[in-house]
Amino acid sequence: QVQLQESGPGLVKPSQTLSLTCIVSGGSIWSRGYYWSWLRQLPGKGLEYIGSIYHSGSPYYNPSLKSRVTISVDTSKNQFSLQLTSVTAADAAVYYCARPLRAAYRFDAFDIWGQGTMVAVSS
Amino acid sequence: EIVLTQSPGTLSLSPGERATLSCRASQSVSSTITSFAWYQQKPGQPPRLLIYGTSSRATGIPDRFSGSGSGTDFTLTISRLEPEDFAVYYCQQYGSSSTLTFGGGTKVEIK
């Protein structure tokens, strides 16, 4: 059973870069060609899709965040990462990594989620 | 971007009652008919997939949960509320060509 675990700093200063990693266990990040994804949940609000990356590269970003987001994959470590630049208080959220239900579908429902990591933005 | 509006914001019901949650999309996208999902979320936990493809139950989801809808209007029905069903529910569309979006959530609370 594939499991996901986010890791990274819980506090980032305004204008700096938020960096998170999602470690994939119980299966290879190469298997079946999934779009490994990042989402976030703003405090007391709904969910927002950030972007995703195919196991061989080829990231896709939400147009609303595209200018600040980079998603990369490290198959040797079975993990993928998120970088969000120039953060502000509006970026404080719980960040989740997730795997979609179906392989090779960039947009899909998500059946596997990490537990989430809370990131605060403050000087 | 397709905006999803969920109603009501809060639903106060008793165990054993029927819950009907609605989600309306700002535009109809032909693939949205089958590209619609529902999630349940409890405090401190990630969302749990309940329904995908508008009406298909995810693995392990009891049959008291059902999804329906077409065009711009979609519904999640919980036939008889169990104590563990009191949570926040989110809808999601993944039929758009540009991005996927979620609704703002409906909280189902104990009356």
Side-chain angles (χ1 to χ4, degrees):
Chain A
Q1 175 73 359
V2 171
Q3 293 183 318
L4 307 178
Q5 179 64 57
E6 305 89 350
S7 64
L11 179 65
V12 181
K13 290 181 168 57
S15 80
Q16 294 196 341
T17 297
L18 179 160
S19 296
L20 297 173
T21 295
C22 182
I23 298 171
V24 180
S25 60
S28 171
I29 205 166
W30 269 96
S31 68
R32 299 180 61 191
Y34 286 95
Y35 279 88
W36 303 93
S37 303
W38 286 99
L39 303 96
R40 68 182 182 179
Q41 187 164 30
L42 304 176
K45 295 186 179 179
L47 294 145
E48 181 178 35
Y49 171 75
I50 299 172
S52 56
I53 190 163
Y54 201 53
H55 63 84
S56 60
S58 302
Y60 182 85
Y61 306 128
N62 186 329
S64 67
L65 295 168
K66 186 175 182 178
S67 64
R68 298 194 293 131
V69 173
T70 301
I71 297 175
S72 58
V73 63
D74 187 338
T75 53
S76 67
K77 295 182 179 179
N78 222 37
Q79 64 186 38
F80 59 107
S81 300
L82 167 70
Q83 288 193 316
L84 181 65
T85 62
S86 304
V87 300
T88 69
D91 295 309
V94 176
Y95 285 77
Y96 293 101
C97 55
R99 194 195 78 174
L101 185 62
R102 295 173 294 179
Y105 279 77
R106 185 174 63 194
F107 297 146
D108 203 1
F110 297 98
D111 66 330
I112 299 178
W113 296 70
Q115 282 300 305
T117 186
M118 184 173 296
V119 177
V121 178
S122 175
S123 55
Chain B
E1 176 176 305
I2 297 176
V3 176
L4 300 181
T5 302
Q6 291 188 241
S7 60
T10 302
L11 199 51
S12 298
L13 295 168
S14 301
E17 289 193 293
R18 181 184 187 90
T20 302
L21 288 67
S22 296
C23 186
R24 175 165 289 179
S26 60
Q27 58 185 281
S28 179
V29 177
S30 58
S31 59
T32 300
I33 293 175
T34 56
S35 301
F36 211 86
W38 290 92
Y39 298 82
Q40 176 193 70
Q41 188 177 33
K42 296 180 179 179
Q45 297 182 16
R48 174 193 181 197
L49 179 64
L50 299 174
I51 301 288
Y52 64 94
T54 300
S55 59
S56 297
R57 275 186 298 276
T59 302
I61 302 303
D63 60 7
R64 64 180 181 273
F65 291 92
S66 63
S68 63
S70 64
T72 59
D73 292 302
F74 297 85
T75 300
L76 174 70
T77 301
I78 310 171
S79 59
R80 287 178 56 86
L81 283 164
E82 296 288 341
E84 63 267 28
D85 298 338
F86 292 91
V88 180
Y89 293 83
Y90 294 97
C91 58
Q92 177 212 347
Q93 68 79 22
Y94 47 97
S96 167
S97 61
S98 63
T99 191
L100 55 87
T101 52
F102 293 83
T106 290
K107 181 180 182 179
V108 178
E109 65 176 23
I110 300 177
K111 186 174 181 180

